Amino acid sequence: LLIGAGLLVRSFVQLQRVSPGFTPDNVISMRLGASGRQFPNREAAVEFYRQFGDRLATVPGVKVRGAVSALPFTSSVGWGSINVEGWTPQPGQELQVDQRAATTEYFRTMEIPLVRGRFFNDFDTVPTAQPVVIIDEKFSQRFWPGQDPIGKHVWNDPQRQATIVGVVGTVKQYGLDVDGRIVVYRPSPGLLSWHVARTAGDPGAVASAMVRDIHALCPTLPVFDVQTM
């Protein structure tokens, strides 16, 4: 029992020393259960998220907020195959990567560091904009070790290649003791499940205000998994 307890404590201490790739302190997260019933078209959904962002910016204590399709340390996942400029797969080979959508302020909210290039901006989310992506450092080191990947291309559809505009730090998506896949982030105007806000103080204190603002705009929109990071 003593040996087992000692090993458990040592493992816990070691995990505490592992960086998750973001700063979890003072961050509140929640999940929105949006559906077509609340938003009959894309324009209505975009307008809802714009208004929600404007209201959230006025909530006392909220410093910055963002949204992502799959939040770290949750059951949310999203991956698929992708092609990479300069890489030729073997017959029958596919490159499977984590593919996430994120808003312009998501990386700043989570304090995921920018390694090269830039974060997304509002112009990237316009439907007519040229496709861009941000990759994580693990992706960059695999395909362009010692090189600058900014300006390179990745794609699902060869007729619509996306330009790499930024490289961010690697995030522990599935747990502190798990190495995840390499990651591609795509820009989104906010049509996403997970929303996060970084606060000046106790993040739990602003949770009710955030939910209240959501329901002021759309009373029937389900909000769940409200918790601090």
Side-chain angles (χ1 to χ4, degrees):
L1 285 175
L2 287 175
I3 292 172
L7 290 172
L8 179 64
V9 170
R10 186 174 70 175
S11 298
F12 180 71
V13 170
Q14 288 176 339
L15 283 176
Q16 284 189 310
R17 294 172 180 165
V18 175
S19 171
F22 60 91
T23 305
D25 308 284
N26 295 338
V27 176
I28 187 73
S29 67
M30 59 186 60
R31 194 173 187 181
L32 307 189
S35 70
R37 184 169 52 186
Q38 287 93 7
F39 308 117
N41 52 55
R42 185 181 188 277
E43 289 73 21
V46 170
E47 179 60 18
F48 165 80
Y49 285 112
R50 186 193 66 76
Q51 292 183 29
F52 172 49
D54 290 345
R55 293 177 70 110
L56 191 56
T58 66
V59 174
V62 173
K63 298 170 64 177
V64 63
R65 47 83 188 174
V68 71
S69 57
L71 192 68
F73 300 161
T74 67
S75 58
S76 298
V77 296
W79 63 80
S81 61
I82 200 169
N83 295 282
V84 179
E85 180 180 340
W87 176 74
T88 303
Q90 299 297 318
Q93 182 184 19
E94 281 189 337
L95 176 64
Q96 292 286 326
V97 304
D98 272 4
Q99 301 194 37
R100 300 175 200 144
T103 60
T104 57
E105 295 297 317
Y106 171 71
F107 302 101
R108 294 185 180 91
T109 303
M110 297 291 283
E111 295 186 353
I112 299 171
L114 181 67
V115 179
R116 285 182 180 271
R118 66 171 177 86
F119 291 133
F120 295 136
N121 58 45
D122 291 336
F123 297 106
D124 296 327
T125 63
V126 176
T128 56
Q130 291 297 312
V132 298
V133 295
I134 290 174
I135 63 174
D136 73 343
E137 200 168 13
K138 191 174 181 179
F139 194 126
S140 176
Q141 291 171 350
R142 174 170 175 178
F143 290 99
W144 300 284
Q147 302 178 48
D148 186 355
I150 304 301
K152 303 290 187 182
H153 298 88
V154 300
W155 64 91
N156 301 106
D157 180 356
Q159 301 302 316
R160 191 169 170 79
Q161 298 187 14
T163 303
I164 297 171
V165 296
V167 179
V168 296
T170 300
V171 172
K172 290 281 190 180
Q173 179 74 14
Y174 304 107
L176 294 175
D177 58 342
V178 179
D179 283 331
R181 298 179 180 86
I182 57 180
V183 182
V184 171
Y185 296 91
R186 302 182 187 277
S188 171
L191 314 179
L192 303 167
S193 299
W194 289 99
H195 288 252
V196 288
R198 180 166 295 278
T199 64
D202 176 17
V206 305
S208 59
M210 291 176 65
V211 175
R212 185 170 60 249
D213 282 346
I214 292 170
H215 286 156
L217 295 170
C218 185
T220 61
L221 185 64
V223 182
F224 51 101
D225 287 338
V226 180
Q227 58 189 339
T228 64
M229 288 299 297

